[in-house]
Amino acid sequence: MNYTHEHRMERIASVVEMDDADALSVHGSSSTIKVSAKSRSTAVAGAIAAVIREQKHAEVQAIGAGAVNQAVKALAIARGYLLDDTPPVDIVCTPYFTDVDIEGQERTAVRFIVEPRSSI
Amino acid sequence: MNYTHEHRMERIASVVEMDDADALSVHGSSSTIKVSAKSRSTAVAGAIAAVIREQKHAEVQAIGAGAVNQAVKALAIARGYLLDDTPPVDIVCTPYFTDVDIEGQERTAVRFIVEPRSSI
């Protein structure tokens, strides 16, 4: 089948959201993976790996200690998935703060830029 | 003064441990910065920046969601500190799991390898 880029991203999103629909969303245009404290780290890891394979760049966003912990676990797991690829892809991440609007309230989120090590 | 490497690392450790003696320790030989949920993220960030300036490589270890959150906040803050250096140093990190022995019990820790982006 001849998927367009958008279609492929939607497939990834739908696979991930089956596991935890409220907690995780993948936006094809911006590659932002939003993680909550309830997100399954393996599901998030799968999403990160898929976006990296597709776009060579992903952003992971978490608000609060529980969400940040799940995001970091997912990053460590995703690194393992991608190291198993042929050829292996080693990822590195860059954490930074950003202010986001959650239902009219400003919250500080932690975001991770995720990139293949070889590309930086 | 002509500090040896070990002496300089001890100075860094003593500065950081003043703020939170139980929660954070810097080992000169291995550059491992241990973070707890009670660690002050700015103090940890100062330690990370100091070790990176000194050794171009640091490892940050955290066990539990609260500690991982403090570690990530510290990494984001340290990145800001190091980007303000002349010349600026941009750091990236690589999270991975490791098993550690805490008072006879095996726990899974999250560790972050921290490196200047330019060196990888």
Side-chain angles (χ1 to χ4, degrees), chain A residues 98-110:
Chain A
T98 187
D99 292 326
V100 294
D101 186 297
I102 304 288
E103 294 170 6
Q105 286 211 311
E106 192 174 278
R107 299 284 303 273
T108 299
V110 174

Side-chain angles (χ1 to χ4, degrees), chain B residues 9-28 32-34 39-40 43-44 46-47:
Chain B
M9 292 312 301
E10 279 166 14
R11 279 199 304 153
I12 291 165
S14 63
V15 169
V16 173
E17 289 181 358
M18 279 197 307
D19 295 312
D20 195 352
D22 293 330
L24 195 140
S25 61
V26 180
H27 305 291
T32 296
I33 297 164
K34 293 182 181 173
S39 298
R40 284 202 308 127
V44 178

